[in-house]
Amino acid sequence: MKLAFIDIETGGLDPKINPILQIAGTFEVGKESQDFNFYIKPFPADKVDAKALAVNKLDPTKPEFEEPGVVYNRLINILQKYVNKFDKTDKFFFVGYNSHQFDMPFIREFFSKNGDKYFGSWFHYPSIDVMILAACKLINKRCSMPDFKLATVARELGINLDGANFHAGEYDIAITREIFKLLMKGN
């Protein structure tokens, strides 16, 4: 099984007009895994919302931010190591927290902005949304929870959050992976 745990940080909430500023994750293929963490400059036509930057504390003017095309090519190079995009059965399961409504549409649009209409050649649809899996597990506790954010769900499931740095893609994906693996035990 091929799992792509992916988390993004963005410059707003609309994938058509707002940029992805960070893509972090882990590709798992059997016992092999590969971590990645890319910082991305906005496309020239993208609009960056100052409120989003206040939340994720990213600054796309810093030197570690690369051009979108450079990051796209780096991501494709990793994907090509694990997937034959011409084989309809050989794809990653896209796994994330709120991935179906947020991360996957942004990544799909990122591919499109890079001139690639074949996002579906790499990933199965729909995504595996860990938030929805957690909602099923916590159905009897949900009404008493203050919210359903990643940190709240992790705490409710007994996951240690010492040193938490939420809205840092690489940290969010580590917690998402822990929740996913906890929820999938026994399956």
Side-chain angles (χ1 to χ4, degrees):
M1 182 178 324
K2 297 178 182 183
L3 301 172
F5 292 92
I6 297 176
D7 184 68
I8 62 171
E9 299 301 328
T10 68
L13 300 175
D14 185 341
K16 295 283 186 199
I17 62 169
N18 300 126
I20 294 176
L21 300 174
Q22 181 185 21
I23 301 174
T26 302
F27 291 128
E28 288 186 7
V29 180
K31 294 183 188 231
E32 185 180 346
S33 68
Q34 181 169 352
D35 295 330
F36 59 93
N37 186 18
F38 304 124
Y39 293 96
I40 311 162
K41 292 179 182 178
F43 284 92
D46 285 340
K47 294 181 181 6
V48 179
D49 183 341
K51 292 177 190 173
L53 298 181
V55 170
N56 60 38
K57 297 175 179 51
L58 294 176
D59 179 356
T61 64
K62 289 195 171 182
E64 63 266 25
F65 284 76
E66 299 177 281
E67 293 297 328
V70 170
V71 172
Y72 166 79
N73 288 328
R74 290 177 66 195
L75 188 58
I76 291 298
N77 286 336
I78 298 170
L79 287 166
Q80 288 174 337
K81 286 172 52 178
Y82 302 107
V83 171
N84 174 357
K85 76 176 195 173
F86 300 107
D87 179 349
K88 292 181 181 187
T89 64
D90 187 22
K91 299 179 185 191
F92 276 102
F93 288 96
F94 190 110
V95 185
Y97 196 85
N98 196 24
S99 63
H100 193 68
Q101 190 171 351
F102 192 75
D103 301 80
M104 188 177 238
F106 263 97
I107 300 276
R108 183 181 295 277
E109 187 62 27
F110 179 73
F111 273 59
S112 181
K113 288 177 181 179
N114 277 287
D116 184 343
K117 300 182 289 185
Y118 302 104
F119 173 84
S121 296
W122 305 104
F123 299 100
H124 290 291
Y125 186 87
S127 72
I128 298 174
D129 195 326
V130 174
M131 183 173 70
I132 293 170
L133 297 175
C136 294
K137 175 74 173 174
L138 297 171
I139 194 167
N140 293 323
K141 296 180 179 185
R142 177 62 183 103
C143 294
S144 63
M145 295 171 67
D147 56 49
F148 216 69
K149 293 179 180 178
L150 180 62
T152 306
V153 169
R155 282 187 197 96
E156 190 64 42
L157 293 171
I159 294 172
N160 183 355
L161 299 178
D162 288 346
N165 183 15
F166 288 97
H167 294 296
E170 65 276 19
Y171 187 82
D172 287 359
I173 207 61
I175 297 301
T176 299
R177 284 177 69 205
E178 276 194 65
I179 293 170
F180 176 78
K181 291 180 186 288
L182 178 77
L183 294 173
M184 297 307 291
K185 277 186 181 170
N187 289 341

